[in-house]
């Protein structure tokens, strides 16, 4: 990873205007946030800059207004929730550039925090319009990006603005970049990747990138069925992308040539219906799945074998649950492997980094959220990183 500047590289910021890109795209219900994890994530950066005497102006998008103002998608909707987490009052500024912003900066005292309106109200944001970026940048002395989750987009407030102001990674961005670098950039070998979830099609690029970079590729979830089918296994009525079996075979061949061992389950949990604790539930060898059965989790023996693989590894990167974990008991393998990963991490033998919406939920269900090295909540940006893509918002900080 090329080097990026952090808040440690900032000198005296007293009285300076910090433009800070944050992720305040909070899930809302009845006018308030149902989850404030994203605010918790930016809190250290925002409070540090305020405590160091800067005037902090937060830039954020909120939903998809499509380049037009919309009262329900104003960032003013989240002011109360953000104030609650930061423990400080915010000044809401209903613009992102121009005289209103300039006047507001005049009113802010050192250490005060302002929130600008939804950057996506202006078409220049998603178009990464140079003039738009320049107009925003004109208000600040420096730029801080603390929104890794928006870094896969080359937008005016994630990329364009860095052409006009010195740019720094915020604390949450810094932690994310360090964790991802330890997981995939410069990892300690052997490295294991767990890739699970519903479909091969949504994670093809991830699989293609990983086979050349990790020593062990553990494939679970619905996508394992497509790989099993590629190897001639009859998967009954399991979720399976039969049109992708050639692609799966090609990935298996690539892995073979790259010295990457692919681990597919050899026993599986099946049932005739998809329901909690169904009467037809059984565990069987992958070659014994009946025509009217579907695979909903990997089996206990396979899970033990995977735990043994992790014991020989130094690094683990995980995206995607091993089974249909939302429904009992198809979370068993995911929970078991998550607990093994957590225990090895706590013993100091494994660096474990996980991400993905359902993966984060599954690890929480296993009760290991605090026991793995790092959990990324960045969704799309995390997956693009797993695909080996350069993220424009990150590249702009490391240029
Ligand atoms: P993430 O959000 O972590 O990237 P995905 O969205 O790719 O993960 O996949 C999660 C989904 O995959 C879950 O809803 C889970 O129920 C489903 N899934 C996992 N294994 C199976 C399976 N064997 N059959 C059907 N669905 C599965
Ligand atoms: Mg998902």
């Amino acid at each position: 990873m090329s080097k990026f500047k952090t808040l440690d590289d900032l000198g005296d910021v007293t009285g300076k205007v910090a433009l800070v890109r944050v992720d305040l795209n909070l899930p809302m219900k009845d006018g308030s946030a149902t989850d404030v994890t994203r605010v918790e994530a930016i809190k250290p950066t925002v409070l540090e800059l305020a405590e160091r005497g800067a005037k902090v102006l937060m830039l954020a998008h909120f939903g998809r207004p499509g380049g037009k103002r919309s009262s329900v998608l104003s960032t003013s909707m989240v002011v109360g929730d953000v104030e609650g987490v930061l423990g400080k009052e915010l000044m809401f500024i209903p613009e992102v550039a121009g005289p209103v912003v300039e006047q507001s900066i005049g009113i802010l005292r050192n250490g005060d925090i302002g929130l600008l309106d939804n950057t996506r109200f202006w078409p220049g944001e998603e178009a990464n319009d140079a003039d738009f970026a320049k107009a925003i940048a004109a208000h600040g002395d420096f730029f801080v990006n603390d929104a890794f989750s928006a870094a896969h987009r080359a937008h005016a407030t994630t990329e364009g603005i860095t052409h006009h102001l010195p740019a720094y990674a915020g604390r949450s961005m810094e932690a994310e970049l360090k964790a991802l670098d330890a997981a995939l950039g410069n990892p300690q070998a052997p490295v294991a990747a767990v890739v699970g979830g519903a479909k091969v099609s949504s994670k093809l690029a991830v699989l293609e990138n990983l086979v050349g970079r990790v020593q062990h590729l553990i494939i679970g979830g619905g996508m394992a069925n497509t790989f099993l089918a590629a190897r001639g296994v009859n998967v009954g009525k399991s979720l399976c992308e039969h049109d992708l079996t050639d692609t799966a075979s090609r990935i298996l061949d690539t892995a073979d040539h790259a010295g990457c061992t692919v681990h597919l389950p050899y026993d599986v949990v099946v049932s005739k219906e998809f329901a909690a604790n169904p009467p037809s539930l059984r565990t069987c060898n992958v070659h014994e799945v009946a025509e009217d059965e579907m695979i909903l989790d990997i089996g206990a023996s396979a899970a033990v074998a995977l735990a043994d693989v992790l014991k020989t590894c130094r690094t683990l990167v995980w995206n995607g649950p091993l089974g249909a974990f939302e429904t009992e008991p198809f979370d068993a393998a995911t929970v078991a492997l998550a607990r093994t990963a957590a225990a090895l991490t706590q013993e100091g033998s494994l660096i474990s980094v996980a991400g993905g919406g359902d993966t984060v939920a599954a690890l929480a269900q296993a009760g290991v959220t605090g026991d793995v090295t790092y959990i990324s909540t960045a969704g799309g940006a995390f997956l693009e990183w797993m695909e080996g893509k350069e993220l424009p918002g990150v590249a702009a900080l490391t240029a």
Side-chain angles (χ1 to χ4, degrees):
M1 177 174 51
S2 358
K3 263 201 82 65
F4 53 90
K5 292 204 192 86
T6 72
L7 303 191
D8 295 329
D9 298 299
L10 278 167
D12 181 10
V13 296
T14 313
K16 298 218 167 123
V17 177
L19 289 171
V20 187
R21 182 61 158 93
V22 292
D23 183 352
L24 295 179
N25 201 20
L26 310 182
M28 305 292 285
K29 199 173 175 231
D30 304 327
S32 67
T34 53
D35 179 27
V36 292
T37 309
R38 287 174 165 166
V39 192
E40 300 283 1
I42 58 149
K43 182 176 175 177
T45 294
V46 172
L47 291 189
E48 177 178 339
L49 288 167
E51 274 154 26
R52 287 169 66 175
K55 298 182 178 184
V56 182
L57 285 187
M58 295 189 288
L59 287 160
H61 73 275
F62 187 52
R64 297 175 179 273
K68 290 193 296 280
R69 280 192 189 266
S70 144
S71 54
V72 291
L73 293 180
S74 167
T75 54
S76 60
M77 302 290 286
V78 300
V79 166
D81 291 299
V82 177
E83 286 180 333
V85 174
L86 296 184
K88 286 193 74 157
E89 231 174 83
L90 299 186
M91 177 194 273
F92 173 70
I93 304 165
E95 297 287 342
V96 287
V100 172
V101 176
E102 208 45 50
Q103 282 156 21
S104 304
I105 291 170
I107 297 167
L108 288 173
R109 293 157 305 175
N110 296 351
D112 280 352
I113 304 167
L115 174 62
L116 300 166
D117 214 338
N118 188 346
T119 55
R120 291 191 186 168
F121 282 176
W122 290 269
E125 167 70 335
E126 289 175 81
N128 198 9
D129 180 77
D131 292 334
F132 180 65
K134 200 172 171 184
I136 299 173
H139 297 291
D141 294 299
F142 60 95
F143 171 70
V144 175
N145 192 343
D146 213 24
F148 177 82
S149 53
H152 57 315
R153 312 266 188 234
H155 289 172
T157 63
T158 62
E159 199 277 335
I161 195 166
T162 66
H163 298 289
H164 306 286
L165 286 176
Y168 301 83
R171 296 303 182 196
S172 141
M173 172 73 87
E174 181 186 351
E176 180 101 28
L177 293 179
K178 281 187 178 154
L180 295 183
D181 195 53
L184 272 184
N186 283 297
Q188 292 181 42
V191 184
V194 173
V195 184
K199 289 182 170 177
V200 172
S201 51
S202 64
K203 296 190 180 165
L204 261 185
V206 170
L207 293 163
E208 280 166 350
N209 180 41
L210 291 177
V211 286
R213 301 176 74 156
V214 304
Q215 286 70 51
H216 296 277
L217 178 60
I218 294 168
I219 302 178
M223 71 169 62
N225 303 336
T226 303
F227 282 88
L228 290 170
R231 285 196 169 161
V233 171
N234 185 345
V235 297
K237 61 169 185 164
S238 303
L239 173 67
C240 179
E241 293 167 285
H242 291 282
D243 55 326
L244 284 178
T245 50
D246 286 348
T247 306
S249 295
R250 185 168 47 75
I251 290 171
L252 292 173
D253 285 345
T254 312
D256 214 26
H257 288 118
C260 167
T261 308
V262 177
H263 302 268
L264 286 170
Y266 47 81
D267 67 337
V268 285
V269 181
V270 297
S271 89
K272 292 193 205 309
E273 62 282 308
F274 185 21
N277 304 305
S280 61
L281 182 76
R282 70 182 187 111
T283 299
C284 67
N285 182 280
V286 288
H287 296 288
E288 294 165 359
V289 179
E291 221 43 80
D292 60 349
E293 286 178 321
M294 62 188 123
I295 301 170
L296 290 163
D297 196 9
I298 70 172
S301 306
V304 169
L306 295 179
D308 287 338
V309 172
L310 292 195
K311 286 173 192 155
T312 70
C313 291
R314 302 284 303 170
T315 304
L316 166 68
V317 52
W318 185 337
N319 170 256
L322 299 175
F325 77 100
E326 301 94 332
T327 310
E328 288 246 325
F330 308 113
D331 61 339
T334 305
V335 166
L337 198 65
R339 292 193 176 148
T340 299
L344 293 170
T345 306
Q346 292 304 308
E347 286 165 20
S349 73
L350 190 71
I351 291 169
S352 51
V353 175
D358 292 293
T359 310
V360 174
L363 296 190
Q365 196 165 311
V368 302
T369 303
D371 297 330
V372 293
T373 310
Y374 190 81
I375 292 189
S376 173
T377 55
F382 178 81
L383 270 187
E384 289 198 21
W385 180 284
M386 294 265 291
E387 291 172 3
K389 286 194 187 145
E390 180 170 71
L391 312 188
V394 174
L397 293 177
T398 54

